[in-house]
Amino acid sequence: MEDLDRVSGGAFLAKYLSMGLSPVAGHPAVAVFREPRGGRSAPVLGARVEVEAKRTTRVLAGVATHARPVERSLTLRQATAACGELVASLSDLAPAVAGEGMSAESTSQSFFRVREGELSDQQAALHGILVIHRGLEDLCETPLSGADLALEVAGIRQSVLDLTGTAPGAERDVVPSAAVPEPGAGAPLEEVWGARWLIGHQVHVLFNICAAVAVADAVGHLRHGDSEAALLRLGDATVYVRGFPAAMTHASTIPADYYMAAIRQTMAPPSVDVPLSGRQHRGYKLFRAAMKDLLGAVPDPYDFLAARAPELAEARGALLEADIIDAERHVTLAYSMVHLHRSIAQKPEGPDNAVAELRLMRHRRAAQYAPLIRFGDHYIADAVAGLRHA
């Protein structure tokens, strides 16, 4: 493989971003992340990066998610082009690390082409924006619903803000538009579907990590008495969590028959050592740990919290409701992909199929959150409590 240290700026963009593929033919590039940790100061990456980040957030805010296909694709290509210029500005500061040369820490990381390492602010931004660029490039041709596209693009825009340290609202600044290249020749459909499965999952991992950091930041601000900063970060986290199911649906916007025939068996033995499941994604586990910390820091039932801190009660409630909706969307997504088959990672003593297991997970989460949100699902909470007693 050519040494990435000798590839910079536009040359990097042209060689390694075409069709979102890495030098490993037919596969998206390895996505490299750094460990989520709250409390980091906002990155300062220079004037050129700031200009390109402002342009990117402005263009993302203008994506026509519910327009006709031609207009929608045009605005997505504009966003992809702007994001590509942001990649070039970041890679001119320092080239990306070669993710293909990094060791995977788990079977899940290996399969989904994800790695984790010590990264500077610039490297974390560059690798995160590379994930975003591949996601946007694929979205140009993905038949995703307008509602899901709006949520995924909102999460992508928030990622750009967080990764580059750009101030919210900067998209209102007037920034010249980047040139939009004409769409190239399409790859074979099965290659596109296989890449989309990985690209959408990498965007999902990015959202998991950014959400974990945002929730950890919010908890830190609450413990230091800075409620205003905590509210802002809870709002950011909610944007990401609303994007979770949208990114998963993006990954799954492939024919169910193709998934069952070509992908599903590659995620179970003998293709891999252990069956893959969402529980193995480290970014998601860190997000769940951050949510547990949040509920430890703010455990009050909704009515009590609303009486002393109404804005915090609403912000926490919005985040928890988004988390329940994520669980609900997993139920319907699983049914569309595997119908009533068992999950490849289910234990023998579990429910009859993947849909039933995911529904039970949703109900347990809704029961846990019922006292903490304004319109909690108390019927489900009572039913789950009855199951425990039984």
Side-chain angles (χ1 to χ4, degrees), residues 123-206:
Q123 284 290 295
L126 174 54
H127 283 278
I129 302 300
L130 283 167
V131 170
I132 289 169
H133 185 276
R134 289 191 291 275
L136 287 170
E137 193 170 45
D138 187 63
L139 283 170
C140 291
E141 305 298 332
T142 303
L144 195 64
S145 73
D148 276 326
L149 181 60
L151 293 174
E152 185 170 356
V153 169
I156 285 172
R157 180 187 168 277
Q158 187 62 48
S159 300
V160 174
L161 293 172
D162 284 348
L163 290 166
T164 63
T166 305
E171 75 276 0
R172 290 194 291 268
D173 297 343
V174 178
V175 183
S177 298
V180 180
E182 291 296 321
L189 275 178
E190 290 195 356
E191 184 176 304
V192 171
W193 295 334
R196 179 171 297 152
W197 179 250
L198 300 179
I199 289 169
H201 274 89
Q202 290 179 352
V203 173
H204 187 259
V205 172
L206 175 65

Side-chain angles (χ1 to χ4, degrees), residues 315-332:
R316 185 190 66 176
L319 177 58
L320 298 183
E321 286 187 347
D323 200 23
I324 294 172
I325 291 169
D326 178 43
E328 291 172 352
R329 290 292 305 279
H330 270 70
V331 176
T332 55

Side-chain angles (χ1 to χ4, degrees), residues 143-286:
L144 195 64
S145 73
D148 276 326
L149 181 60
L151 293 174
E152 185 170 356
V153 169
I156 285 172
R157 180 187 168 277
Q158 187 62 48
S159 300
V160 174
L161 293 172
D162 284 348
L163 290 166
T164 63
T166 305
E171 75 276 0
R172 290 194 291 268
D173 297 343
V174 178
V175 183
S177 298
V180 180
E182 291 296 321
L189 275 178
E190 290 195 356
E191 184 176 304
V192 171
W193 295 334
R196 179 171 297 152
W197 179 250
L198 300 179
I199 289 169
H201 274 89
Q202 290 179 352
V203 173
H204 187 259
V205 172
L206 175 65
F207 287 177
N208 288 171
I209 288 173
C210 289
V213 172
V215 174
D217 283 345
V219 172
H221 291 314
L222 287 170
R223 287 174 174 158
H224 288 91
D226 191 346
S227 58
E228 185 175 349
L231 290 174
L232 288 173
R233 291 305 273 157
L234 286 175
D236 295 342
T238 303
V239 172
Y240 289 126
V241 177
R242 287 172 178 162
F244 286 1
M248 286 301 299
T249 304
H250 172 187
S252 304
T253 307
I254 59 179
D257 289 346
Y258 173 79
Y259 169 77
M260 293 295 287
I263 294 179
R264 195 168 191 254
Q265 71 267 22
T266 68
M267 302 189 338
S271 298
V272 292
D273 295 336
V274 294
L276 300 183
S277 75
R279 299 185 190 95
Q280 296 165 8
H281 293 310
R282 188 166 183 273
Y284 188 66
K285 288 193 288 187
L286 291 170

